[in-house]
């Protein structure tokens, strides 16, 4: 199987895997972790939102499993630690001494003959020294089985871990994949195996919970600043009246383009708030000055629209054409920035067509409300 991929310009945590998004499985029991991972990968590959599901667990490494007969070993005066020490001395890299030469030092490594290390039958010739000092053949107290195991045992936070990576099918967003994966893991994983998303999936999951609050706080801060600037609670509402239309235009553009609402697109929505509210500021600021000259609310906002039409169009077109290359995905790595440009361009176009008509209506009605309250 081959997994072609384009490495992202900015890697948001995680490890480099065959697919773009990662999920980490952890458990203290290796047998439970290794037996669950293939079942989970098979179940995830059948989900409609996922493709290219793969893991870094490769249970293809030939190995020998030594099963100690504890009762037999105890009767012969051999402990499990002594068996482990004998195996490590024969097939490990035990450093028993250091030779100091005039120009260098040399490590003395204790091991069995390399010719014997390539033959599984050599374990039968291995002897373990018991607590009484006698040499006991390993075959007298343990059984050796040929099996397969992992090429390497990965750890995360001192626990054995397995990475499961996946890509998204066209038409599905990361939020769809996360919800589908959580449904499968809740049914399939045992209690001693935990899971969490890493890399881009983890960033999406953690940021998604705070993006709505971030948007609400940014709008509230803008309202407070505008209220302090105009010393009025009503005029900021007139200025912010175009924001729902801008947000609708941004979401509609992303939907038509088939692009998911990711972190980049949400940054574009936040940027769109600052770009759109300046149209309302231009009109309302001029209308307030006209009201001080004795004009009615209708005449004041009409004059504001006529006088400020040119600067509104100039600033909007500058911002629109400035972000248009980003929306088209031009340049190296442009596809990662494209959601940001699409949300800004779509929101500006849609809101611009309605701002010059909706904002004056809000202004007139809110001025009447203000006059009614004061009377």
């Amino acid at each position: 199987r081959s997994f072609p991929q384009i490495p992202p310009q900015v890697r948001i945590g995680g490890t480099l895997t065959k697919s773009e998004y990662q999920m980490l499985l952890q458990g203290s029991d290796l047998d439970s972790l290794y037996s669950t991972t293939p079942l989970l990968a098979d179940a995830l590959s059948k989900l409609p939102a996922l493709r290219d599901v793969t893991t870094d667990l490769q249970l293809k490494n030939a190995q020998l499993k030594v099963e100690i007969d504890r009762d037999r070993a105890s009767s012969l005066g051999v402990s499990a630690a002594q068996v482990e020490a004998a195996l490590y001395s024969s097939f490990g890299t035990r450093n028993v001494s250091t030779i100091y030469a005039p120009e260098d030092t040399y490590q003395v490594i204790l091991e069995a003959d390399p010719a014997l290390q390539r033959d599984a039958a050599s374990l039968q010739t291995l002897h373990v020294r018991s607590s009484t000092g006698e040499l006991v053949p390993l075959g007298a107290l343990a059984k050796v089985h040929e099996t397969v195991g992992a090429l390497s045992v990965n750890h995360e936070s001192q626990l054995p871990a397995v990475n499961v990576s996946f890509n998204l099918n066209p038409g599905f967003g990361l939020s769809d994949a996360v919800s589908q994966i959580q449904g499968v893991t809740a049914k399939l994983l045992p209690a001693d195996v935990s899971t969490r998303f890493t890399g881009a999936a983890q960033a999406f999951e953690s940021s998604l919970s705070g993006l709505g609050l971030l948007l609400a706080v940014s709008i509230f801060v803008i309202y407070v600043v505008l209220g302090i600037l105009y010393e009025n609670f009503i005029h900021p509402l007139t200025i912010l009246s175009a924001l729902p239309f801008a947000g609708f235009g941004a979401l509609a553009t992303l939907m038509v383009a088939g692009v998911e609402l990711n972190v980049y697109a949400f940054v574009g929505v936040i940027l769109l708030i600052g770009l759109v509210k300046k149209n309302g500021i231009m009109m309302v600021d001029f209308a307030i000055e006209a009201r001080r000259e004795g004009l009615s609310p209708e005449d004041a906002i009409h004059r504001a629209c006529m006088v400020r039409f040119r600067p509104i169009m100039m600033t909007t077109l500058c911002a629109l054409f400035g972000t248009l290359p980003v929306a088209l995905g031009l340049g190296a790595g442009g596809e990662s920035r494209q959601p940001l440009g699409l949300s800004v361009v779509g929101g500006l176009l849609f809101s611009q067509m309605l701002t010059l008509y909706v904002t004056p209506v809000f202004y007139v009605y809110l001025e009447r409300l203000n006059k009614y309250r004061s009377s």
Side-chain angles (χ1 to χ4, degrees):
R1 300 177 62 189
S2 61
F3 297 87
Q5 61 179 165
I6 301 177
Q9 290 182 321
V10 179
R11 211 175 87 195
I12 310 175
T15 58
L16 187 61
T17 55
K18 301 180 181 69
S19 304
E20 185 176 0
Y21 304 103
Q22 301 95 37
M23 181 178 64
L24 189 71
L25 301 180
Q26 286 184 292
S28 56
D29 188 355
L30 273 179
D31 294 334
S32 177
L33 178 64
Y34 287 172
S35 62
T36 304
T37 300
L39 299 177
L40 179 63
D42 183 66
L44 293 181
S45 62
K46 298 177 182 178
L47 294 178
L50 305 185
R51 61 183 177 90
D52 301 333
V53 178
T54 182
T55 72
D56 60 357
L57 178 62
Q58 301 293 331
L59 299 176
K60 300 179 180 179
N61 186 40
Q63 63 181 21
L64 297 176
K65 186 176 182 180
V66 179
E67 294 184 358
I68 303 175
D69 187 344
R70 302 285 178 148
D71 296 334
R72 178 68 174 168
S74 177
S75 64
L76 295 175
V78 178
S79 64
Q82 291 171 314
V83 175
E84 180 182 355
L87 291 173
Y88 182 54
S89 299
S90 302
F91 305 100
T93 56
R94 184 183 296 277
N95 184 8
V96 295
S97 179
T98 302
I99 299 176
Y100 297 94
E103 298 179 354
D104 204 350
T105 59
Y106 303 93
Q107 306 295 327
V108 179
I109 306 299
L110 177 64
E111 63 178 6
D113 188 348
L116 299 177
Q117 294 183 9
R118 294 191 292 267
D119 189 3
S122 61
L123 283 176
Q124 303 299 329
T125 62
L126 184 65
H127 288 68
V128 182
R129 188 172 296 278
S130 66
S131 57
T132 59
E134 299 179 356
L135 292 177
V136 180
L138 181 64
L141 52 87
K143 295 181 180 180
V144 181
H145 304 281
E146 293 186 5
T147 180
V148 292
L151 292 174
S152 62
V153 180
N154 298 326
H155 288 78
E156 181 74 21
S157 302
Q158 299 182 351
L159 285 176
V162 177
N163 280 298
V164 179
S165 59
F166 58 91
N167 287 326
L168 302 180
N169 277 319
F172 290 92
L174 187 55
S175 58
D176 302 324
V178 169
S179 61
Q180 293 181 15
I181 291 173
Q182 289 174 343
V184 172
T185 54
K187 298 178 181 178
L188 192 61
L189 292 184
D192 57 350
V193 177
S194 62
T195 177
R196 63 182 176 88
F197 293 98
T198 58
Q202 180 191 23
F204 173 83
E205 187 182 34
S206 59
S207 62
L208 190 63
S209 59
L211 288 180
L213 179 62
L214 175 62
L215 181 62
V217 170
S218 61
I219 295 176
F220 176 75
V221 170
I222 292 174
Y223 175 81
V224 171
V225 172
L226 292 176
I228 296 173
L229 178 63
Y230 294 111
E231 298 181 353
N232 192 290
F233 294 103
I234 294 180
H235 294 317
L237 295 177
T238 306
I239 295 172
L240 297 176
S241 61
L243 294 185
F245 303 101
F248 177 81
L251 295 178
T253 304
L254 293 173
M255 184 178 298
V256 171
V259 179
E260 63 182 13
L261 180 63
N262 54 19
V263 177
Y264 295 101
F266 210 92
V267 171
V269 174
I270 300 296
L271 177 62
L272 190 61
I273 294 176
L275 295 175
V276 171
K277 69 181 178 61
K278 54 87 182 171
N279 295 343
I281 292 176
M282 287 183 180
M283 288 188 288
V284 172
D285 189 69
F286 191 93
I288 292 175
E289 295 296 329
R291 287 279 290 158
R292 293 173 182 173
E293 298 176 3
L295 295 180
S296 64
E298 293 82 0
D299 295 335
I301 195 63
H302 181 266
R303 180 184 294 183
C305 291
M306 298 298 293
V307 175
R308 294 298 174 89
F309 176 77
R310 181 179 177 183
I312 288 175
M313 293 302 298
M314 290 175 60
T315 54
T316 300
L317 290 176
C318 287
L320 193 149
F321 285 110
T323 53
L324 188 60
V326 181
L328 296 177
L330 303 179
E335 63 279 354
S336 61
R337 302 184 298 268
Q338 192 175 20
L340 186 150
L342 286 173
S343 59
V344 172
V345 170
L348 283 177
L349 281 176
F350 192 81
S351 64
Q352 188 61 44
M353 292 187 295
L354 298 177
T355 299
L356 296 176
Y357 301 98
V358 175
T359 302
V361 174
F362 268 88
Y363 177 81
V364 172
Y365 277 100
L366 290 178
E367 278 289 339
R368 291 177 182 177
L369 177 62
N370 191 24
K371 182 179 180 180
Y372 174 76
R373 291 181 55 190
S374 60
S375 61

